[in-house]
Amino acid sequence: MSQIEKKINELRKQLQHYNHQYYVLDNPSVPDAEYDRLMNELIKLEEAHPELITPDSPTQRVGAKPLDVFEKVEHTTPMLSLANAFDVQDLRDFDRRIRESLSVDQVEYVAELKIDGLAVSLRYQDGVFVQGATRGDGSVGEDITQNLRTVRSIPLAINETNPIEVRGEVFMPKQSFLKLNEKRQEQELDLFANPRNAAAGSLRQLDPKIAAERNLDVFIYAVGEWQAGTSATHSEHLQYLSELGFKTNPEWKKCDNIDEVIQYVESWIDRRNELAYDIDGIVIKVDRLEYQDILKTTAKSPRWAIAYKFPAEEVVTKLIDVDFSV
Ligand SMILES: CC(C)(CNC(=O)c1ccc(Oc2ccccc2)cc1)c1ccc2c(N)nc(N)nc2n1
């Protein structure tokens, strides 16, 4: 390996580490000036040696040209939707049905925040991000790889060489949403009605340079296709996803029974305005994967998971309701 290649690989490793600290762990470990100096040094070296550029290089976030159309993508495992629960009794019914099906007295659950964004699927081959898609109808989505590459908290490379597909929610933080609408107001453009629509509208842009400016973020919450999977529980999956370099939501909680789930749900009903992003409920999943396999799924949603929906917050000002249902 030449000195140049050594230098390029060293810069990539450093920048990938700094990116992980800044965008995934929200814990910057180097001054911006130092980060920019290293990035400029890598850009110059790659400009001088374009044959050494790889798709997972930190310089390759924003694609050059806009697409004409989004290609269709078939999901190898369905991206399931969730049945809803609207009150505590619905949660107790959910738990009773599961305990009866499994003939057990107690079931452990994982409770997670339900981010109000856009569901996406990310595929990695040989540790490199190769394709990203919208949920679509659950079986067929749209290829938005170019736009997802611009989401800084989506790693372009992970330390898992087996093929793996993960699912998560892309969202726009509340502050970014307010700033974007202020800018659009100045430019006399239509305003986005809420952060979810703004995120959907950003991911539907054919030009990745526009998506790159929208400060989108992601939380990964499930493993889809993964031959090498050896975890026994969903909570182990969440820990593993984080070790692989994915941004997972830190508020998830392992609950020993449905009573603990209900405490968690009730604790968040009044706390959601503390969060930097919108949530529209809590997702509750049976933790043991063997139980998930026994319970299986109905036509479109798992029997082992449910979404507790919060009542919609009253809308103070009704803005133009932009519909970018992706
Ligand atoms: C539970 C699941 C539907 C994801 N899970 C899947 O899509 C899924 C799909 C096939 C699976 O089974 C497989 C079958 C064959 C091979 C591999 C997996 C497992 C999970 C879901 C959906 C939306 C969520 C959301 N908005 N927020 C949070 N926090 N969690 C969420 N979780």
Side-chain angles (χ1 to χ4, degrees), residues 77-82 112-115 167 169 221-225 283 285 302 304-305:
T77 45
M79 283 186 72
L80 303 167
S81 58
L82 288 165
E112 303 170 15
L113 300 185
K114 187 171 183 301
I115 315 304
R167 279 92 191 265
E169 202 87 358
Y221 52 61
V223 176
E225 195 68 36
V283 179
K285 304 171 183 178
W304 41 267

Side-chain angles (χ1 to χ4, degrees), residues 110-139:
V110 171
E112 303 170 15
L113 300 185
K114 187 171 183 301
I115 315 304
D116 196 4
L118 222 68
V120 293
S121 153
L122 309 174
R123 268 191 336 100
Y124 290 76
Q125 298 277 356
D126 299 320
V128 173
F129 178 47
V130 292
Q131 187 177 62
T134 64
R135 182 181 172 284
D137 64 5
S139 307

Side-chain angles (χ1 to χ4, degrees), residues 63-80:
K65 59 187 183 350
L67 295 174
D68 301 325
V69 71
F70 290 115
E71 301 296 326
K72 291 294 178 204
V73 170
E74 184 126 7
H75 297 300
T76 44
T77 45
M79 283 186 72
L80 303 167

